[in-house]
Amino acid sequence: MSARVDYALRASAELAVGGERPVTAVQLAEAQQIPPKFLENILSQLRRSGLVRSQRGPEGGYWLARPANQISLADIIRAIDGPLVGVRGERPEHLGYEGPARALQTVWIALRASERAILEQVTLADVASGELPPAVNKLTEDPAAWDSPAFRP
């Protein structure tokens, strides 16, 4: 995961607890110890993606464009880095490997499905509240939980 995605997720979690009240980039940067100039670029990208709104002026700042429980972590990641689990910027379905590497395409598709199973079900509200979906908590307690039907593509 890139630093840009990490910063975007942390800043978005801060916005989730801020509600509809505008939060300045400086406040977000200080709260999450993110370089301010770097964060402003990330917030602009989130705004262009329709996930964040902004207002200029003394009462200005940033806030989520939708309720936090309607924005998944996958939404944020895609806004910053593009599709989940791309290989050299391509979707795994568009790759073609030859010989002994042929099975890698299937691995990349499975990896993306697994990643999506988690990132699309966890919302900013979940992260901000610290109340993650039970299936996600189960994975941290017991990595063998991947055998659970909740994580089968």
Side-chain angles (χ1 to χ4, degrees), residues 112-131:
R112 185 185 62 199
S114 298
E115 188 176 65
R116 287 174 65 180
I118 295 170
L119 297 174
E120 288 182 353
Q121 76 171 297
V122 179
T123 68
L124 288 177
D126 297 331
V127 172
S129 71
E131 297 293 326

Side-chain angles (χ1 to χ4, degrees), residues 74-148:
D75 293 332
I76 302 292
I77 293 169
R78 286 184 188 110
I80 299 300
D81 276 355
L84 300 176
V85 186
V87 179
R88 298 184 322 270
E90 295 286 330
R91 293 174 58 102
E93 294 86 356
H94 299 150
L95 299 173
Y97 295 114
E98 300 298 323
R102 184 172 299 147
L104 282 175
Q105 181 179 24
T106 303
V107 171
W108 301 148
I109 292 168
L111 178 61
R112 185 185 62 199
S114 298
E115 188 176 65
R116 287 174 65 180
I118 295 170
L119 297 174
E120 288 182 353
Q121 76 171 297
V122 179
T123 68
L124 288 177
D126 297 331
V127 172
S129 71
E131 297 293 326
L132 298 175
V136 173
N137 285 326
K138 176 89 172 136
L139 284 173
T140 62
E141 297 163 8
D142 178 15
W146 275 106
D147 294 333
S148 165

Side-chain angles (χ1 to χ4, degrees), residues 7 19 47-48 74 76 92 132:
Y7 292 161
R47 186 180 46 76
R48 284 190 304 275
I76 302 292
L132 298 175

